[in-house]
Amino acid sequence: ARARALDAREPGPPLRVEPGTEVADRLEFRRAGVRDRQYLKLRRGGLHAEDRLDLHGLTQADAQPELEGFLEASRARGLRCVLVVHGKGMRSAGRGPVLKAAVDLWLRRHNDVLAFATARPIDGGGGALYVLLRA
């Protein structure tokens, strides 16, 4: 049987974020055990993103399986750092950055994600995240 990637992927509906959910401009997350030096390097963009996934324009229903598949495939390939582009929500009208908030939630609950941080402007800034994967 295939191991479940998400802690919260027990039977029930997929994790969804309601439009208008508040989300910080800069996103950061780190699990216990991630060394300070490694986390600081990730936050500064000092770890080379070995692959990237662009979720621009996707709905939550389409983006979640894309993200899960990408993370699973990246880890299987032995990648340690990837870039996930979620966009800034500029075309979301008054609903705010829905996909950004959803990706934040999904990554925090994903067992293979050790840490993530908002990317440098050259890599997408507030519309992208550097993600550190479990070895």
Side-chain angles (χ1 to χ4, degrees):
R2 189 173 135 190
R4 294 182 192 266
L6 285 175
D7 295 334
R9 278 206 63 206
E10 294 310 312
L15 296 168
R16 295 283 177 256
V17 171
E18 293 299 316
T21 299
E22 289 290 318
V23 63
D25 288 338
R26 294 192 55 78
L27 300 178
E28 295 183 349
F29 169 79
R30 153 171 128 165
R31 288 197 197 284
V34 174
R35 294 187 320 270
D36 290 344
R37 180 180 222 148
Q38 188 175 35
Y39 184 60
L40 186 59
K41 199 170 183 180
L42 178 76
R43 287 179 52 209
R44 291 181 174 167
L47 296 177
H48 171 68
E50 300 165 286
D51 202 354
R52 75 182 262 139
L53 173 67
D54 192 342
L55 299 171
H56 265 115
L58 296 182
T59 64
Q60 289 184 71
D62 291 335
Q64 187 175 3
E66 284 288 322
L67 179 61
E68 288 177 26
F70 174 73
L71 294 174
E72 201 172 290
S74 295
R75 184 150 181 262
R77 290 171 46 209
L79 306 185
R80 286 301 311 266
C81 182
V82 294
L83 182 72
V84 175
V85 179
H86 49 69
K88 297 178 183 176
M90 301 294 212
R91 290 180 264 153
S92 296
R95 298 175 298 147
V98 177
L99 201 53
K100 180 178 182 176
V103 168
D104 179 38
L105 172 67
W106 299 334
L107 290 176
R108 287 172 190 272
R109 301 237 177 136
H110 200 289
N111 289 330
D112 292 335
V113 173
L114 295 177
F116 62 83
T118 295
R120 294 180 311 149
I122 194 166
D123 290 325
L129 295 167
Y130 300 122
V131 180
L132 181 64
L133 299 174
R134 192 175 305 279

